[in-house]
Amino acid sequence: MTVRSKRRALRATAAAILIVAVGAAALVAIGNGADDDADSQGESSLSTTLISQRDLTEYTEISGTLDYEGTVTLTARSNGVLMHLAGEGTVVRQGEQLYLVVYEPTDEDTARVLAEVASAQDGLSTASDNLSEAMSGPSDAEAATARAAVTEAIEERDHLLEPPSTADLNSAQAAVAAASEALEALGNPTAADLAAARVEVANAEAALTTLKTGASQAEIDSARAAVQTASEALATLNAGASQAEIDTATAARRAARERLRDELQYSDNEVEIDLARAELLTAEEHLADLLAGPTQAEIDDAESTVLTAQEALAELLAGPTQAEIDDAESKVLTAQERLELLENPTDVRFEQARADLATARESLADLVDGASAAELESADAAVLAAEQALADLLAEPSAEELSALESSLASAEAALRSAQADAAAYAETYRPLFVMYGGIPAYRNMTVGLEGADVAQLEANLAELGFGDDEAFEVDGIFDLHTAAAVRSWQEHTDQHVDGTVSTADVLFTAGPVQIGSWGQGVEVGQDSEVGATLAPLTVIETPGGGGMATTQRVIASLPLSDRDLISVGIAVNVELPDDTDVAGSVTAINPTPALDAQSGENTVEVTILLTEPASPVWIGATVTVEVTETLIRDALVVPATALLALVEGGYAVEVLDEDGTTRLVGIETGLFVDGDVEVASGELAAGMHVVVPR
C-alpha cells in the first residue's frame, strides 16, 4: 500500500469515527447550557489528551545485505619469483607493499627492450630532423632546384607561344626529306647496308657454332672454384661464434652492468652515467649478436650463392639446352631474313617506309601550325604548379605547423624516456609493488619531462607520504628534477632500485586502503609469476575525503515499489545490525528500474545505503535492517484522530477542556492524517491544551 493510499485509509477511518461521534457532539453542545453542577460531575469522568506540537513522520523497515562498495583485481605487474605476499585479510594502506618478486631478465628480454630503445631513438632523431628542417628552411640546393623547375616550365610555355625557329623548320624538313629518300632508296639498297646485314648473319652463325661446341675446360674449372668458395662461406656462417667469443662478450656485459650500477648509486656525474649506459648498451648488443648467430636472411643468401654456383657448373657440364640452341638458330634466321629484305624488299617494307614519310610530314605541319589551345593551357598549369612549389618551399612554417612538430618531438622524447626506463627496469632484480591512492591507473612509466594528471597523482602521494621535503617540490603535474628527487627519496626509504623513475610495475593506484582477499590457486611464496596473472581480489574499505577517511561499507536493500515515495537520495537512515546495535547511514542511490521479487511477488526497487561509520567486519555479508523515517510535516499541532468531532453544520471541531473544568467546542481545519494522528489548525488551539477523546 502506498503512502497516499495509507493516508486515504486514515482519512476514511477518521471520517467513520467522526460520524459515530456526531450525536455525542450535539449532546455536548446542548449540555453546555444546562446545570453547571451536573457538568462538573460529568467532567470528572472525561478522558483527555494533550495537544502536541511536533513533526509528523512516517516509518518503515526494509532488509538488506551489508557489503563493501568496490573491489579491485590484483594482477602481477612483472615476471619473477614471488618472495613476499601480504597476508590474506591484511589491510594495505598508502605506501605499503603488496608483494615482492625477484626477477632475472633473459637475453631475449634484454635484446627486446634494447631494440625498443633503438627504435625510440630513431623516432626521436626523425622528429628532431623534421623540426630542424622546418625552422631552418630549405637548403640552397633545394631552392635552386625549385627555381630551375619554374624557369624550365616558363621556357616550355614560351616555346609553345613562339613561332617555330628556322632551325626547327629546317630539322622537320630534313626529316621529311630523309623519309622520302629512304622510301625511294628502298628498292635499291646501298652496298654498305648489304655488307652490314651480311656481317650480322655471320656473327649469328658463329654464336650458334660456339654454343653447340660446349664449354671449355677453363670455364669448367672456374665454375668449380666458384662452387668451392661459396660452400666455404656458407660453412663459416653456419659455424657461428665460438664459446670463447661468447664468454668474453658475457664478461664484458657483466662488467658494464656493474659499472652502470656503481655510477647510478655513487655518482651524480651525468656524463659518466651516460658513458656507462652506452658501454652497457654496446656490450649487450655485441653479446646479442653473438648469441643470435647469423640471421636466416644471411644463411638464405649464402645458400642461394652456393646453389647459383652449382647451377652454373651444372649448366657448363651439361652443355647448351635445346632452348638455347633454338634461340641461337632463331637469331641466325632473323639476320638472314633481314638480309633477304634488303636484297629483295617486300610490300610490307614499302608500306612502313610510306608511313614513316607521312609521320615526318605531319610533324612538319604541326610545327608550322603552332601549339593548340589544350597544349597552351597545360603549359600554363605547369608554370603555376612550379611557382606554387617554390613559394611553399620558401614560405616560413606556420605556428600550427611548428606546434605540431614540437609536439611530435616531445612525444618522441617521452617515448625514448619510457623505453629507457623499461630497459633499466629489466636490469633490476627486486620488484616490490606499493599501494598509492588515486583514480588514475599507472598506465605509463613516469620520468623527468612528462606531465599530466597521473604525474600530479603521484606527486600528491609522495607529499602525503613525507617525501616532498624540497621547498621547490610542487604537486603541479610536471615531473621535473624536484619530483625525481622525491621519487629517489621514496625509493631509498623502501629499499628499491634508486633511479628517480616510477614504472608501471612499481605502484598500484587504488581509491583507498584495500583488504587482501584470498590469494589465487598456486599464488604463494617461491612460485613463479607472469605479467598479467590474477593474484587476489582487493576490497577498497575506505576512501579519502573531507580531511579523513570514509568507510565504503554499504547496504543493498530492496524497497517495495509501493513505498517508493518514502525514500529519496540523500536522506538519513538507521541501520540495525544483527547484534541490535545501530549505525547511521544515508541513501546514495535508487535504481529507477523496478524488479519483481520472486518470494513476495511484489515489485521492488534496489536502494543503496552508505554507512557513515564502519560496522564490525564480522557483519560483512550479513542481513541487516534499514529503518527509514520520513518527516511529512514539521512543527505541526497534532491530536489523535479520535478527538475530532463532526459538526452538524459541516466541518470539524475538538472538545477542549479548560483549566476551570469546563469544556467547549473549537472549530478546526484538518491537515494530514498519519498513523492515527491528525494535523489541526486553529487560532484558539496551542500545544499543551487538553482535548477530550473517547474512553
Side-chain angles (χ1 to χ4, degrees):
M1 180 180 293
T2 66
V3 174
R4 293 183 182 84
S5 61
K6 288 179 182 177
R7 294 168 188 164
R8 284 197 293 271
L10 286 170
R11 289 192 179 95
T13 303
I17 294 171
L18 294 178
I19 292 171
V20 173
V22 170
L27 291 175
V28 170
I30 296 170
N32 281 342
D35 183 63
D36 290 341
D37 292 337
D39 289 343
S40 299
Q41 292 175 1
E43 286 161 3
S44 64
S45 63
L46 292 177
S47 175
T48 64
T49 188
L50 291 175
I51 299 175
S52 62
Q53 188 164 12
R54 58 183 173 82
D55 294 341
L56 270 181
T57 59
E58 202 153 18
Y59 172 84
T60 190
E61 290 183 351
I62 54 177
S63 62
T65 303
L66 181 64
D67 201 351
Y68 285 104
E69 191 169 29
T71 60
V72 177
T73 299
L74 175 63
T75 58
R77 301 299 187 89
S78 56
N79 297 326
V81 179
L82 291 165
M83 299 300 292
H84 167 74
L85 294 171
E88 293 182 356
T90 301
V91 175
V92 182
R93 301 185 180 275
Q94 184 182 39
E96 295 179 350
Q97 188 182 115
L98 284 165
Y99 67 70
L100 171 68
V101 299
V102 175
Y103 175 69
E104 181 67 29
T106 65
D107 292 332
E108 290 77 8
D109 289 335
T110 302
R112 178 177 57 80
V113 296
L114 289 177
E116 290 173 354
V117 171
S119 177
Q121 287 173 332
D122 291 341
L124 176 61
S125 177
T126 300
S128 178
D129 290 344
N130 290 339
L131 179 59
S132 297
E133 289 176 4
M135 297 184 69
S136 61
S139 65
D140 292 341
E142 291 172 331
T145 300
R147 290 190 179 97
V150 172
T151 300
E152 183 179 355
I154 292 174
E155 289 176 350
E156 289 289 339
R157 182 190 61 186
D158 292 346
H159 180 70
L160 291 175
L161 292 172
E162 294 174 356
S165 65
T166 302
D168 291 336
L169 289 173
N170 290 339
S171 177
Q173 289 168 350
V176 172
S180 298
E181 291 175 358
L183 178 58
E184 292 173 358
L186 190 58
N188 299 300
T190 64
D193 292 336
L194 291 171
R198 292 188 181 101
V199 168
E200 185 178 358
V201 170
N203 289 339
E205 290 174 341
L208 177 59
T209 301
T210 300
L211 190 64
K212 290 181 176 180
T213 302
S216 66
Q217 186 60 45
E219 291 173 324
I220 293 173
D221 292 342
S222 176
R224 285 199 175 104
V227 170
Q228 180 66 25
T229 300
S231 299
E232 291 174 354
L234 176 60
T236 300
L237 196 62
N238 282 325
S242 67
Q243 187 58 46
E245 291 173 320
I246 293 174
D247 292 343
T248 300
T250 301
R253 182 189 66 173
R254 187 178 303 109
R257 277 186 178 175
E258 292 173 356
R259 181 190 170 192
L260 177 57
R261 186 180 301 112
D262 292 344
E263 292 293 341
L264 288 171
Q265 290 181 349
Y266 305 115
S267 173
D268 58 358
N269 189 325
E270 292 297 333
V271 174
E272 292 297 330
I273 292 173
D274 289 343
L275 288 174
R277 284 197 178 101
E279 181 181 342
L280 176 58
L281 179 61
T282 300
E284 294 284 4
E285 290 175 347
H286 180 57
L287 178 58
D289 289 341
L290 290 178
L291 292 173
T295 65
Q296 190 59 45
E298 291 173 330
I299 293 173
D300 290 345
D301 183 61
E303 290 176 344
S304 176
T305 302
V306 172
L307 182 60
T308 300
Q310 290 173 340
E311 289 175 349
L313 176 59
E315 288 176 1
L316 289 177
L317 294 173
T321 64
Q322 188 59 47
E324 291 172 329
I325 293 173
D326 292 344
D327 182 62
E329 290 176 343
S330 176
K331 289 179 180 177
V332 171
L333 183 59
T334 299
Q336 290 173 341
E337 288 176 350
R338 193 173 292 114
L339 177 59
E340 178 64 23
L341 285 174
L342 284 175
E343 293 176 339
N344 300 292
T346 63
D347 292 340
V348 174
R349 186 66 180 273
F350 277 107
E351 287 300 326
Q352 182 61 49
R354 292 188 186 98
D356 292 343
L357 177 58
T359 300
R361 286 172 175 168
E362 288 175 2
S363 298
L364 176 59
D366 290 341
L367 194 62
V368 172
D369 293 340
S372 65
E375 290 174 325
L376 291 175
E377 184 178 348
S378 177
D380 286 334
V383 172
L384 290 175
E387 290 175 340
Q388 184 62 51
L390 176 60
D392 292 342
L393 189 66
L394 298 177
E396 293 287 338
S398 65
E400 292 77 10
E401 291 171 332
L402 284 178
S403 177
L405 290 171
E406 289 169 350
S407 296
S408 296
L409 179 60
S411 177
E413 290 172 341
L416 177 58
R417 286 192 293 269
S418 180
Q420 290 171 333
D422 282 340
Y426 268 91
E428 296 175 17
T429 301
Y430 293 95
R431 292 189 178 170
L433 179 66
F434 294 90
V435 166
M436 289 189 178
Y437 295 162
I440 303 172
Y443 67 93
R444 60 176 177 172
N445 296 326
M446 288 179 277
T447 187
V448 173
L450 297 180
E451 57 183 84
D454 55 337
V455 175
Q457 179 177 265
L458 171 67
E459 291 172 327
N461 277 271
L462 292 172
E464 291 170 10
L465 291 169
F467 297 106
D469 297 336
D470 185 352
E471 293 182 359
F473 173 81
E474 294 183 67
V475 180
D476 54 6
I478 301 173
F479 202 122
D480 53 19
L481 295 177
H482 306 291
T483 303
V487 170
R488 288 191 181 93
S489 178
W490 168 63
Q491 290 172 332
E492 290 174 358
H493 183 78
T494 53
D495 296 326
Q496 299 182 67
H497 174 71
V498 180
D499 60 3
T501 294
V502 179
S503 77
T504 56
D506 295 335
V507 294
L508 173 68
F509 288 103
T510 64
V514 292
Q515 186 174 44
I516 299 177
S518 298
W519 293 105
Q521 185 176 5
V523 179
E524 56 186 46
V525 173
Q527 296 299 311
D528 288 332
S529 177
E530 295 183 356
V531 172
T534 299
L535 300 180
L538 305 178
T539 300
V540 180
I541 64 169
E542 293 177 319
T543 54
M549 303 298 291
T551 181
T552 63
Q553 287 183 358
R554 63 178 182 179
V555 176
I556 304 296
S558 294
L559 177 74
L561 186 59
S562 58
D563 292 335
R564 171 63 182 82
D565 59 352
L566 278 179
I567 200 165
S568 60
V569 173
I571 68 168
V573 298
N574 184 66
V575 178
E576 184 178 325
L577 301 175
D579 62 353
D580 295 332
T581 59
D582 294 332
V583 182
S586 62
V587 177
T588 58
I590 302 173
N591 191 331
T593 305
L596 182 65
D597 188 318
Q599 293 183 345
S600 66
E602 285 188 285
N603 283 318
T604 62
V605 291
E606 185 180 86
V607 179
T608 302
I609 296 100
L610 188 65
L611 299 191
T612 304
E613 297 292 337
S616 171
V618 301
W619 301 123
I620 296 299
T623 299
V624 298
T625 300
V626 179
E627 301 169 343
V628 182
T629 302
E630 182 188 23
T631 299
L632 302 177
I633 300 176
R634 294 191 178 277
D635 203 26
L637 283 177
V638 180
V639 299
T642 56
L644 297 184
L645 300 173
L647 300 177
V648 174
E649 63 272 21
Y652 303 102
V654 293
E655 187 178 4
V656 177
L657 177 65
D658 290 328
E659 291 182 358
D660 60 1
T662 62
T663 62
R664 56 191 174 89
L665 290 181
V666 176
I668 51 96
E669 292 182 2
T670 59
L672 193 65
F673 288 80
V674 178
D675 293 336
D677 292 329
V678 60
E679 175 193 11
V680 296
S682 171
E684 299 181 42
L685 299 180
M689 297 176 68
H690 289 268
V691 293
V692 178
V693 294
R695 285 186 178 276

